[in-house]
């Protein structure tokens, strides 16, 4: 009976101990979580190492939330790559995290878009592109931004599928926000540290460069200045050497060296020079215009690798003088070193100031030679002015002549005289372009230039007493100092007497040619018109003979009679076409807006093509043209397309048009016999035929008429053709709206 109470007591005792142990573990976990959170809170305010902060944030989450894995990522291009993770993450998952997870995965993309943590209860590893994390049931992505750019990501995943509780979310948000503040403070501290280092570097560089610029007033040799610049930089760096290269005669030449290269063979190669395209340490900064830093020098890229085994780090910087690169300064270190921002600031600052020093040294050197150059220039200008065929005359601001070259003396037949401007025209025999009217003072070119006018193409005549008159074109302007003070004026006079005489002869010849052409056109018109009567008489009487006396003629006589009739008809067509050709110029009408589609339809109806033949066009534009001549143009081109068809192939002619700026470009396309390229120009000449009349009837004038019509309208006519396939004639006519715009302007 006593055993039952004892067993019950033992069970209760065991349960009590279990509860005590569970409570103890819970208190220990809370204490550990609290300790971790306190340590993390302290680190947020003091620690600047990002990874240390990330690991402490991971520890806080792990201590507060059991069964949750945590990882910290930083962005690397299109991937988030893990930098720290909780101890419970398996090696397989770690490998995947190190390889990276996509930045554009659904949850990641949402976090970046909202710039806030995203809690996912139903984790789909395949959809997220992280198949190695498929064992997790829920996840959270907490993004961080620096300078408004995605920087890093804190993630957590539950080992069991469940919905994030409010407590879990609160813990992660609190830790995440704390880490974000710490990251911002660390970034600011790092930036401040970098800025301080750069300021210190600039100070040290400027202190060293002060020694270089101190003797600038007396030192003008650029290579001495470069040597001092190299010494300044190398005094701030570990062991190594410095070189300065310039391009000359197809080679990079080392002009200045500071320090020993550490290898006699390397010295020999550098002294010999490099082809422009060979050394990457020189080519890259020269082409890009930017410094080229090599933390790990690419041995073998410039010289044989075995000669530079002792070289570990290099930097190449272009030197700019007056905006142009003049050479490359190279700093080479024997020991391994990663170029820091401080190093770069030192080198770039010194090289920049070196460029300024070289500019100043160049100015000093130029000043030393300027006086001698001015003297040489003065002598040279005197010789040039004396040899010019153009007359050059100049005056000072008061109008006193200061320059009167030999050509000017020849023009006037005298030397310069100290006369006021009001007496120039009479004294120097200046006349208007007619050679008779004296040139008034306000129209004298030098006087106009002296009064601030820019003289261009001023015409006058110099007619010295007892000498032939000279026609002169004068150009000139006022002269001012660099500060804007008036120095006077100068005029250049060009003798165009011969040219003017030649122009007058050309004008006279053109007028005679125009008159001759007009007479020829009138003659062609009259001749072709008057020839019609005798031709009609011949053909009429030949027809009467055929009707009345055809029966008494033998076969040969009837053949002769038919040839007379055919030849008479051909002669009539020839005269008609010749008359049409001459009327293009003798009967010109005003060019008005014309609906070319309507003209086409009239021509198509008039041609009445044989059964099955087809002519078509649609939507042809309104052009500025002579309607009657446009009708003639389309008729000639379309009838050609119908006439010169292939045997057994039904003819097809299509007319189309495309806008081409201020013009319309028409095309008349057929499917006929085609034309060989060597005849493309010949067919537009009058009376030129490619086929005999026995094959294709015609006079050889139709296309010449077309060319005249198009040219009269200011357009062009040409063709494209494939023998045996067809021909396209193209011509341009002005658009009606373009002419309207020209008139309105």
């Amino acid at each position: 009976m006593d055993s039952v109470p004892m067993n019950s007591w033992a069970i209760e005792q065991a349960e009590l101990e279990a509860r005590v142990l569970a409570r103890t573990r819970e208190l220990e976990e809370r204490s550990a979580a609290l300790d971790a959170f306190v340590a993390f809170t302290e680190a947020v305010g003091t620690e600047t190492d990002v990874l240390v902060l990330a690991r402490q944030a991971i520890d806080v989450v792990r201590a507060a939330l059991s069964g949750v894995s945590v990882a910290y990522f930083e962005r690397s291009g299109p991937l988030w790559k893990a930098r720290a993770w909780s101890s419970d993450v398996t090696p397989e998952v770690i490998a995947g995290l190190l390889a990276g997870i996509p930045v554009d995965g659904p949850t990641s993309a949402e976090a970046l878009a909202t710039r806030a943590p995203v809690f996912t209860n139903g984790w789909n590893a395949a959809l997220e592109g992280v198949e190695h994390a498929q064992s997790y049931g829920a996840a959270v992505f907490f993004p961080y931004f620096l300078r408004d750019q995605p920087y890093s990501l804190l993630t957590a995943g539950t080992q069991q599928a469940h919905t994030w509780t409010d407590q879990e979310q609160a813990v992660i948000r609190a830790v995440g926000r704390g880490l974000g503040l710490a990251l911002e403070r660390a970034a600011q501290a790092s930036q401040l540290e970098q800025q301080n280092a750069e300021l210190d570097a600039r100070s040290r560089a400027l202190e060293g460069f002060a020694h270089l610029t101190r003797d600038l007033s007396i030192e003008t040799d650029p290579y001495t200045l470069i040597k001092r610049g190299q010494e300044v930089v190398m005094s701030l760096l570990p062991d190594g050497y410095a070189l300065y290269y310039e391009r000359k005669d197809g080679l990079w030449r080392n002009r200045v060296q500071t320090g020993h290269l550490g290898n006699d063979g390397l010295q020999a190669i550098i002294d010999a020079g490099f082809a422009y395209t060979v050394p990457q340490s020189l080519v890259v900064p020269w082409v890009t215009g930017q410094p080229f830093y090599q933390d790990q020098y690419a041995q073998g890229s410039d010289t044989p690798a075995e000669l530079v085994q002792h070289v570990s780090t290099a930097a190449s910087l272009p030197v700019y003088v007056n905006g142009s690169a003049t050479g490359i300064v190279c700093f080479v270190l024997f020991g391994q070193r990663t170029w820091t921002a401080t190093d770069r600031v030192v080198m770039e600052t010194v090289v920049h100031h070196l460029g300024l020093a070289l500019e100043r040294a160049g100015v000093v050197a130029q000043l030393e030679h300027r006086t001698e150059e001015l003297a040489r220039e003065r002598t040279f200008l005197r010789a040039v002015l004396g040899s010019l065929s153009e007359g050059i005359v100049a005056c000072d601001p008061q109008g006193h002549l200061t320059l009167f070259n030999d050509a000017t003396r020849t023009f006037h037949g005298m030397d310069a005289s100290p006369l006021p401007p009001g007496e120039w025209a009479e004294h120097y025999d200046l006349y208007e372009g007619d050679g008779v009217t004296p040139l008034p003072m306000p129209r004298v070119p030098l006087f106009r230039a002296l009064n601030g006018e820019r003289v261009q193409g001023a015409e006058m005549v110099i007619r010295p007493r007892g000498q032939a008159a000279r026609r002169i074109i004068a150009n000139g302007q006022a002269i001012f100092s660099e500060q804007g003070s008036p120095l006077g004026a100068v005029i250049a006079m060009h003798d165009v007497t011969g040219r003017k005489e030649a122009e007058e002869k050309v004008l006279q010849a053109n007028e005679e040619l125009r008159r001759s052409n007009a007479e020829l056109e009138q003659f062609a018109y009259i001749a072709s018109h008057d020839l019609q009567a005798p031709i009609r008489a011949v053909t009429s009487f030949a027809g009467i003979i055929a009707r009345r006396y055809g029966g008494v003629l033998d076969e040969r006589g009837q053949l002769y009679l038919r040839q007379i009739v055919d030849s008479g008809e051909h002669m009539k067509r020839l005269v008609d076409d010749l008359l049409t050709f001459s009327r293009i110029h003798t009967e010109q009408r005003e060019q008005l807006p014309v609906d070319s589609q309507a003209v086409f339809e009239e021509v198509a109806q008039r041609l009445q093509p044989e059964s099955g033949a087809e002519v078509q066009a649609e939507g042809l534009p309104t052009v500025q043209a002579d309607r009657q001549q446009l009708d003639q143009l389309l008729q000639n081109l379309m009838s050609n397309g119908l006439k010169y068809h292939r045997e057994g192939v039904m003819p097809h002619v299509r007319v189309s048009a495309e806008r081409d700026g201020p013009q319309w470009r028409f095309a008349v396309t057929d499917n006929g016999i085609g034309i060989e390229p060597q005849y493309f120009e010949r067919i537009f000449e009058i009376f030129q035929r490619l086929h005999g009349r026995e094959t294709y009837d015609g006079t050889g004038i139709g296309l010449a008429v077309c060319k005249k019509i198009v040219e009269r309208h200011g357009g062009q006519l040409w063709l494209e053709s494939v023998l045996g396939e067809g021909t396209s004639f193209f011509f341009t006519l002005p658009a009606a709206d373009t002419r309207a715009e020209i008139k309105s302007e």
Side-chain angles (χ1 to χ4, degrees):
M1 296 295 293
D2 292 336
S3 61
V4 175
M6 285 296 294
N7 289 338
S8 176
W9 179 84
I11 293 171
E12 291 177 356
Q13 186 67 24
E15 291 177 349
L16 179 60
E17 291 177 356
R19 286 198 297 272
V20 170
L21 289 173
R23 182 59 176 169
T24 301
R25 284 195 299 270
E26 181 182 351
L27 291 174
E28 290 175 348
E29 290 174 356
R30 289 187 178 181
S31 177
L34 184 60
D35 291 342
F37 194 82
V38 170
F40 175 66
T41 302
E42 293 176 351
V44 166
T46 58
E47 183 61 59
T48 59
D49 188 311
V50 172
L51 291 183
V52 170
L53 290 166
R55 292 189 185 99
Q56 288 188 333
I58 291 171
D59 292 342
V60 171
V61 175
R62 285 283 299 162
L65 304 176
S66 60
V68 174
S69 300
V70 190
Y72 174 76
F73 298 81
E74 289 183 353
R75 182 163 184 177
S76 177
L79 298 174
W80 294 113
K81 292 195 174 182
R83 300 297 306 280
W85 49 86
S86 56
S87 59
D88 64 312
V89 180
T90 65
E92 293 79 11
V93 174
I94 292 174
L97 299 181
L98 291 172
I101 64 175
V103 171
D104 58 357
T107 305
S108 173
E110 182 181 353
L112 293 180
T114 61
R115 305 173 73 94
V118 175
F119 291 86
T120 302
N121 295 321
W123 173 252
N124 188 331
L127 182 62
E128 301 285 347
V130 285
E131 287 79 0
H132 52 273
Q134 61 186 354
S135 61
Y136 293 97
V140 59
F141 280 34
F142 202 123
Y144 299 103
F145 293 78
L146 286 181
R147 301 181 187 91
D148 207 37
Q149 295 296 320
Y151 174 72
S152 58
L153 186 71
L154 182 68
T155 68
T158 63
Q159 297 172 3
Q160 301 295 329
H162 75 283
T163 300
W164 290 103
T165 66
D166 292 343
Q167 180 184 357
E168 291 172 334
Q169 291 190 33
V171 169
I172 292 176
R173 289 182 190 275
V175 174
R177 282 194 295 269
L179 179 59
L181 294 173
L183 292 177
E184 291 178 3
R185 197 187 67 80
Q188 292 172 353
S190 175
Q191 183 179 8
L192 182 60
E193 181 180 353
Q194 181 179 353
Q195 290 174 345
N196 290 335
E198 290 177 356
L199 288 174
D200 180 64
R202 288 180 185 272
S203 298
R204 290 188 289 117
L206 290 173
E207 288 174 3
F209 203 76
H211 299 289
L212 173 65
T213 57
R214 188 173 300 156
D215 298 330
L216 185 59
S217 59
I218 58 175
E219 181 59 67
T220 60
D221 179 50
Y223 296 138
T224 299
L225 292 169
I226 292 170
K227 178 75 171 177
R228 292 289 293 116
Q230 290 177 341
E231 292 171 349
V232 168
V233 174
M234 294 309 299
S235 68
L236 304 173
L237 295 174
D239 291 342
Y241 58 87
L243 306 171
Y244 174 71
Y245 288 91
E246 289 179 347
R247 290 157 60 106
K248 186 175 182 181
D249 300 330
L251 293 176
W252 287 103
R253 294 288 191 181
N254 178 34
R255 298 301 188 189
V256 184
Q257 177 175 329
T258 297
H260 192 271
L261 304 188
N263 187 302
D264 293 339
L266 177 61
Q267 185 72 63
I269 289 178
I270 288 179
D271 290 343
F274 301 96
Y276 284 168
T277 59
V278 172
Q280 293 304 298
S281 295
L282 303 178
V283 172
V284 171
W286 183 265
V287 171
T288 64
Q290 300 295 323
F292 179 44
Y293 295 102
Q294 300 181 72
D295 294 337
Q296 182 64 49
Y297 174 64
Q299 296 178 347
S301 61
D302 303 325
T303 56
E306 62 272 14
L307 299 180
V308 289
Q309 294 299 310
H310 59 300
V311 173
S312 298
T313 308
S316 309
L317 296 89
V319 178
Y320 280 85
V321 177
N322 295 320
S324 299
T326 59
I328 303 293
V329 176
C330 299
F331 300 105
V332 182
L333 304 182
F334 298 142
Q336 183 62 47
R337 181 185 181 92
T338 297
W339 293 116
T340 65
T342 302
D343 295 333
R344 299 186 183 203
V345 169
V346 168
M347 289 184 284
E348 291 174 17
T349 301
V350 170
V351 170
H352 172 70
H353 283 80
L354 178 59
L356 297 178
L358 292 174
E359 290 179 9
R360 291 192 292 270
V363 171
V364 172
Q366 290 175 1
L367 289 175
E368 293 178 354
H369 301 288
R370 188 55 179 164
T371 302
E372 182 181 351
E373 290 178 355
L374 287 174
R376 287 198 301 268
E377 288 177 2
R378 195 173 291 112
T379 302
F380 174 75
L381 287 174
R382 287 198 190 99
V384 170
L385 291 172
S387 65
L388 289 177
S389 61
E390 287 191 329
I392 307 296
V393 59
C395 67
D396 63 18
Q398 288 71 43
H400 301 129
L401 297 182
T402 57
L403 177 62
F404 213 79
N405 73 340
D406 292 343
T408 304
R409 295 185 184 93
T410 301
F411 290 169
H412 294 289
M414 63 179 74
D415 207 336
S417 299
L419 299 172
E423 300 180 19
W424 286 346
E426 181 179 359
H427 181 78
Y428 294 110
D429 304 307
L430 306 182
Y431 293 86
E432 293 281 6
D434 59 9
V436 177
T437 306
L439 193 67
M441 182 182 68
R443 288 182 50 77
V444 174
L446 184 60
F447 184 79
R448 291 163 58 187
L450 184 61
N451 282 275
E453 181 181 349
R454 187 176 184 86
V455 180
Q456 293 287 343
E459 295 189 26
M460 66 178 180
V461 173
I462 299 176
R463 200 182 66 192
R465 299 170 185 82
Q467 298 185 32
R470 297 176 184 271
R471 293 182 177 273
I472 299 295
I473 296 293
N475 300 292
Q477 62 184 17
I479 307 173
F480 298 92
S481 68
E482 293 183 358
Q483 291 73 32
S485 301
L487 299 178
V490 63
I491 287 291
M493 298 181 292
H494 184 59
D495 187 353
V496 294
T497 305
R499 192 188 77 189
K500 287 291 185 180
E501 292 175 352
E503 288 176 354
E504 290 174 357
K505 291 180 180 179
V506 170
L507 290 174
Q508 183 179 358
N510 287 340
E511 179 59 26
E512 292 176 356
L513 181 61
R514 185 197 64 77
R515 185 169 56 252
S516 175
N517 287 341
E519 291 173 353
L520 287 173
E521 289 176 355
Q522 187 66 19
F523 171 77
Y525 175 78
I526 294 172
S528 58
H529 183 272
D530 292 348
L531 283 173
Q532 288 183 334
I535 292 172
R536 282 196 298 269
V538 170
T539 55
S540 296
F541 281 110
I544 293 172
I545 293 173
R547 290 193 300 274
R548 293 187 179 181
Y549 306 105
V552 299
L553 296 175
D554 60 9
E555 184 177 348
R556 183 178 295 275
Q558 291 179 357
L559 174 63
Y560 292 159
L561 192 58
R562 285 196 301 272
Q563 288 180 345
I564 291 173
V565 173
D566 290 344
S567 296
E569 291 295 335
H570 178 67
M571 187 64 180
K572 183 178 182 304
R573 288 194 299 271
L574 192 63
V575 169
D576 288 341
D577 287 349
L578 185 59
L579 185 59
T580 300
F581 184 79
S582 66
R583 282 174 175 167
I584 294 174
H585 289 288
T586 59
E587 295 184 2
Q588 294 189 13
R589 287 166 294 276
E590 182 182 1
Q591 296 179 13
L592 300 171
V594 177
D595 183 355
S596 59
Q597 180 69 33
V599 175
F600 164 81
E601 291 171 358
E602 293 174 5
V603 172
Q605 185 176 6
R606 188 165 59 246
L607 289 176
Q608 294 181 344
E610 60 185 276
S611 178
E614 183 181 1
V615 292
Q616 69 177 82
E618 184 176 347
L620 297 182
T622 298
V623 294
Q624 196 81 7
D626 180 330
R627 181 184 180 90
Q628 186 171 327
Q629 290 187 354
L630 177 58
D631 183 291
Q632 183 73 52
L633 173 63
L634 289 177
Q635 176 170 304
N636 288 3
L637 294 178
M638 291 166 61
S639 60
N640 264 12
L642 294 172
K643 177 169 48 175
Y644 296 103
H645 65 271
R646 287 177 283 162
E647 188 70 27
V649 177
M650 194 59 64
H652 176 85
V653 177
R654 182 176 182 273
V655 183
S656 60
E658 290 184 5
R659 187 65 182 254
D660 185 7
Q663 297 180 319
W664 282 96
R665 184 175 67 251
F666 287 76
V668 180
T669 304
D670 63 56
N671 62 341
I673 60 176
I675 303 171
E676 295 181 81
Q678 62 265 33
Y679 301 121
F680 281 7
E681 295 297 328
R682 175 182 167 186
I683 63 173
F684 293 115
E685 298 175 7
I686 193 168
F687 299 128
Q688 293 295 321
R689 293 175 49 84
L690 303 184
H691 307 280
R693 283 200 304 117
E694 65 278 3
T695 306
Y696 295 101
D697 190 23
T699 62
I701 299 178
L703 289 178
V705 169
C706 293
K707 189 171 191 275
K708 282 284 186 182
I709 291 174
V710 172
E711 289 177 348
R712 190 218 157 192
H713 287 75
Q716 292 180 308
L717 175 63
W718 72 98
L719 74 137
E720 295 176 1
S721 184
V722 177
L723 194 64
E725 296 184 11
T727 302
S728 291
F729 284 92
F730 299 93
F731 63 89
T732 57
L733 294 176
D737 55 353
T738 302
R739 291 294 177 89
E741 290 173 3
I742 293 175
K743 288 183 178 180
S744 65
E745 291 176 0

